[in-house]
Amino acid sequence: MSNVVVLDNGGGLLKAGQGGERNPAVVIPNCLYRPLTSKKFLHPTTTLSSTTEDLTSAAIRRPIDRGYLINPDLQRDIWSHLFTSLLHVTPSSSSLLLTEALFSLPSIQRSTDELVFEDFGFNSLYVADSPSLVHLYEASRRPYGLVSEAQCSLVVDCGFSFTHAAPVFQNFTVNYGVKRIDLGGKALTNYLKELVSYRSVNVMDETFIMDDVKEKLCFVSVDVERDLQVARKRGNDNLFRCTYVLPDGVTHTKGYVKDPEAAQRHRILTDGATPSRAVETKKETDHLEVMEKSEERKRVDLTKNEFDLTNERFLVPEMIFQPADLGMNEAGLAECIVRAVNACHPCLHPVLFQSIILTGGSTLFPRFAERLEKDLRPLVPDDYQVKITTQEDPILGVWRGGSLLASSPEYESMCVTKAEYEELGSARCRRRFFH
Amino acid sequence: MDDENSNPFRRMSSRTRKVAPKMAAALASSDNRTQAALARLEALENDNAGIETIEPNDDDEASLDDDDQAYMQKRSKGTKRKTRQAKALENARKAPRTFLELLHEANLESLPAHVPSYLRAAVGPPSSTSRRHFCSVCGFTANYTCVTCGMRFCSGRCQNIHNDTRCMKFVA
Ligand SMILES: [Zn+2]
Ligand SMILES: [Zn+2]
């Protein structure tokens, strides 16, 4: 078999490398960006969080909207740079293992196939969905574990564009069981932007910076009521207050957390613990403070180069657990999982609740799994166990599953070749990937 | 293999592009509160894409008028003209469209009920109708609702701030 390029083409990050390797050689944002200092849109060469470049108010163009490839021209541009300058592969002598969001539309599949075979000329293609690859990877890691022996799992993929709860059985995603929440990391970053812009400083154009803020400072609350109380406290009793400094373009080109140690103090709060009430808060004063901050905002909006966060730190990820609180008429993650399980055969229910696998970058918030279990337990019959596993690396898990599949002996027979595509066309070739 | 999406006569100028269903619903709704809520949710999927720079001399950047003209000429003169207009038309056909537009075109509603699809995979509304409400100004528990836009506030102070700066921000 020729060389296989494994490409997990996410809406946020693109992960690419050679099949059979443990890690992808390239992990970059799937976008073009234009810093303020540039007239042209540029290709990212690394994850933008690890560059020292000033990304203040950089514009972004993404080929993927709501998880689906809607701009093939832009994707061609990005892939061309990827294959030529970053991976150094020759498509005509390579096979491509490509991930695609579940329930893609025929028109999108057709333009994807055109890109792969007509624009790049790959000699064969296999299209995989993320849940089945994650399942494959986890099953291979523990050959005698439940996921492997029962040959099924419930994969919760909380990524950039959306969140799926997907039952997987015998390595195939059970399509009719999949449930989706229209929320992922992108919506969370935008929500955080909205809150900070309103409450302290205008960051509506700061996607990259606010991604960094979200990744460094947000966490999942296991007790929202309690944490809201803590977040109102003044001084040292407020375990959540922290400050993020925006880049000023002169002394520092990257934003940073002002006192990183203090920002981690929330970790001392464990489930059910009530923080000491040594200094009882004066609620009235708190309001005055809020008021003052807002007044101040109007005056110094553009010159201010730092902002405080308190309840935003957990109210942002809270969206995934209770979208309805924020006006989205969608069930939260726990209920989403229950609905996905209930769509499957009853004899699978107990084993699915015991084999929940978390993947996707948005599951990296501290306490994600803990909160999910807390929400899920009351919704699951008492005699069923609930067991949630977080992937070792939730961002690379899908790619690693793909790498494993690409190096398996069956891979070649699963692919559609260029000749088959030319003879049969997109729609008929695609049927081979349906299960 | 020619189907409706690759039909060169199909008009795809941005003028005729369909508005995303949620936005269409918001625009059609006379209820300010519905409009504000939908517009706000829609904004969660936005990117700061930057202002498109259109270079008037660049053939690759088809303007809307060229596009319309190309459509007319193409109809009257058949396929003979492989000109700038034809190229413009080709570009217009390929112009990126939003996922919601593509979804609308795919007409998934017509699939039989047992066929899994993007639409049927939506998780649906929560089973509980009780909601927690957070103040849109300060984030704390909010017991009041703005009668104009439906957003929440927790106190008279936050209400004033809301009225001054945030009310109907997403509709205006
Ligand atoms: Zn308030
Ligand atoms: Zn209002």
Side-chain angles (χ1 to χ4, degrees), chain A residues 34 41 57-62 65-66 68-71 73 76 103 105-108 110 161-162 175-176 178-183 186-187 190-191 193-195 198-199 204-207 224-225 228 231-232 284 287-288 290-291 294 297-298 310-312 315 318-319 322 324-332 335-336 339 371, chain B residues 1 3 5-6 20 22 37 40-53 61 91 94-106 108 114 116-128 130-141 151 154-155 157-158 160-167 169-170:
Chain A
R34 191 185 60 205
F41 275 84
S57 306
I60 308 173
R61 282 188 190 160
R62 304 183 197 273
D65 176 30
R66 287 156 219 257
Y68 298 93
L69 204 172
I70 53 140
N71 190 339
D73 290 340
R76 182 190 305 116
F103 309 112
L105 306 171
S107 62
I108 292 172
R110 186 168 48 239
S161 309
F162 40 35
N175 268 336
Y176 56 84
V178 175
K179 297 291 168 213
R180 181 191 69 251
I181 302 175
D182 293 314
L183 272 177
K186 182 179 185 179
N190 278 342
Y191 181 44
K193 274 195 220 168
E194 188 193 312
L195 292 178
Y198 182 65
R199 293 175 191 170
M204 286 312 283
D205 291 336
E206 309 306 338
T207 302
V224 175
E225 277 304 308
L228 279 173
R232 313 180 72 109
E284 223 29 44
H287 279 306
L288 277 174
V290 168
M291 184 66 185
S294 302
R297 187 185 63 88
K298 286 176 200 157
T310 55
N311 58 31
E312 300 83 4
L315 289 180
E318 185 66 18
M319 275 188 98
Q322 298 287 341
D325 289 349
L326 291 134
M328 276 187 88
N329 195 26
E330 293 192 11
E335 212 167 358
C336 180
R339 289 178 191 180
R371 166 64 185 276
Chain B
M1 70 159 272
D3 55 23
N5 278 338
S6 53
K22 272 187 193 166
R40 184 169 162 268
L41 290 177
E42 203 62 25
L44 287 176
E45 293 300 325
N46 282 352
D47 273 319
N48 45 317
I51 300 130
E52 295 285 326
T53 46
E61 289 283 355
N91 284 336
K94 282 186 181 169
R97 291 175 297 145
T98 69
F99 174 69
L100 294 177
E101 288 164 356
L102 294 170
L103 180 64
H104 188 80
E105 275 181 20
L108 297 178
H114 65 273
S117 72
Y118 178 84
L119 294 179
R120 286 184 228 294
V123 67
S127 54
S128 158
S130 78
R131 303 278 182 272
R132 293 171 303 175
H133 299 288
F134 303 112
C135 175
S136 60
V137 178
C138 71
F140 293 105
T141 308
M151 289 186 91
C154 69
S155 61
R157 284 196 181 85
C158 285
N160 288 336
I161 296 171
H162 170 83
N163 289 345
D164 286 352
T165 56
R166 184 166 233 203
C167 194
K169 179 170 160 260
F170 282 96

Side-chain angles (χ1 to χ4, degrees), chain A residues 117-129:
Chain A
F117 288 122
E118 295 175 25
D119 291 314
F120 290 101
F122 276 98
N123 66 23
S124 67
L125 169 70
Y126 182 74
V127 176
D129 62 71

